[in-house]
């Protein structure tokens, strides 16, 4: 049974009004540098709302330390925030869903998937259930990633890094992954994307090579 009850701020008895710190429905109001309405007071973590995750609180705390103690200040970046639901198997996510991407970017969006059950590691561990799905925009720019698999929370980091660094999905297909691992699912999804970009004789040649490979004796 899964109970998603949510969380609420508990700031009523902190005396924030007396300090001149503004709140909205109990959440502490901050700017892009995580400063409150009193510029020498910073706030981070669940008390400011938004992404209520431990790893996001850590990210915010690092930003607060830089902005409070050092002359060069930084804006908080929520551009690439992965998260994971620790079911069995795990369900991890970063960026946009396919529907969200289509709403924002239109017909340039495509989604590419690979079934985890086809991986040798999944077969060996009898973990046949799972899937990797990666959403891309024009030129193969990664807009979102979704993984249902054992260890998905770890696997999603590769897609998050690619999004943060502007690495395109086709490039992930050229990255050598250790064998046998679940992370090969990301590579196979990138392979599916690369095949989708082929046309004409190139597509025919790849289809022929894959067909011959499947018919060869082990």
């Amino acid at each position: 049974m899964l109970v998603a009850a949510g969380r609420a701020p508990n700031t009523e008895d902190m005396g924030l009004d007396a300090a001149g710190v503004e709140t909205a429905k109990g959440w502490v109001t901050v700017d892009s540098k995580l400063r409150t309405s009193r510029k020498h007071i910073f706030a981070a973590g669940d008390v400011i709302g938004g992404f209520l995750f431990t790893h996001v609180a850590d990210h915010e705390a690092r930003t607060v330390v830089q902005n409070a103690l050092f002359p060069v200040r930084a804006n908080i970046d929520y551009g690439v925030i992965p998260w994971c639901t620790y079911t069995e198997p795990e369900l991890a996510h970063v960026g946009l869903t396919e529907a969200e991407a289509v709403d924002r970017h239109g017909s340039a969006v495509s989604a590419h998937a690979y079934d985890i059950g086809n991986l040798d590691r999944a077969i060996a561990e009898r973990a046949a259930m799972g899937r990797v799905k990666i959403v891309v925009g024009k030129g193969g720019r990664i807009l979102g990633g979704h993984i249902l698999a054992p260890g998905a929370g770890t696997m999603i980091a590769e897609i998050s890094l690619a999004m943060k660094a502007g690495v395109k999905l086709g490039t992930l297909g050229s990255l050598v992954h250790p064998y046998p691992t679940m992370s090969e699912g990301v590579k196979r999804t990138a392979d599916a994307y690369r095949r989708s970009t082929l046309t004409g004789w190139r597509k025919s040649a790849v289809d022929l090579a894959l067909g011959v490979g499947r018919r060869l004796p082990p």
Side-chain angles (χ1 to χ4, degrees):
M1 180 174 66
L2 175 63
V3 178
R7 277 168 285 183
N10 183 18
T11 59
E12 291 83 357
D13 299 325
M14 294 181 64
L16 296 180
D17 290 341
V21 175
E22 295 179 0
T23 61
K25 296 182 179 180
W27 305 104
V28 177
T29 303
V30 295
D31 63 12
S32 62
K33 293 179 172 57
L34 299 182
R35 298 175 300 190
T36 68
S37 53
R38 300 285 288 174
K39 299 305 182 183
H40 64 290
I41 300 176
F42 295 78
D46 292 359
V47 75
I48 66 174
F51 296 97
L52 306 183
F53 302 120
T54 301
H55 51 285
V56 174
D58 176 80
H59 176 50
E60 291 168 345
R62 293 169 185 266
T63 302
V64 165
V65 168
Q66 177 177 341
N67 290 341
L69 301 180
F70 297 95
V72 178
R73 294 184 170 180
N75 292 325
I76 187 70
D77 181 11
Y78 294 115
V80 180
I81 301 293
W83 66 80
C84 183
T85 303
Y86 296 100
T87 50
E88 187 176 339
E90 295 176 359
L91 179 61
H93 156 87
V94 64
L96 303 178
T97 65
E98 183 177 358
E100 291 169 340
V102 170
D103 285 343
R104 297 189 190 185
H105 301 280
S107 59
V109 171
S110 62
H112 308 272
Y114 185 83
D115 288 333
I116 288 293
N118 295 324
L119 292 177
D120 288 352
R121 179 60 175 267
I123 294 170
E125 295 187 354
R126 299 181 180 179
M129 179 181 178
R131 202 178 198 208
V132 178
K133 181 178 181 180
I134 301 178
V135 181
V136 298
K138 186 176 181 180
R141 183 169 68 93
I142 301 175
L143 302 176
H146 317 276
I147 303 176
L148 178 69
T154 300
M155 293 168 62
I156 201 69
E158 178 178 351
I159 300 175
S160 301
L161 176 60
M163 292 177 64
K164 181 75 173 178
V167 175
K168 296 182 178 180
L169 182 55
T171 303
L172 291 184
S174 64
L175 179 66
V176 179
H177 289 68
Y179 172 89
T181 60
M182 291 294 186
S183 66
E184 284 188 289
V186 175
K187 179 181 177 67
R188 302 304 178 198
T189 307
D191 289 343
Y193 162 74
R194 294 172 76 179
R195 288 195 297 272
S196 75
T197 64
L198 298 175
T199 58
W201 67 268
R202 291 182 176 86
K203 183 178 186 303
S204 299
V206 170
D207 290 342
L208 177 62
L210 291 174
V212 170
R214 284 192 290 267
R215 290 193 294 270
L216 290 175

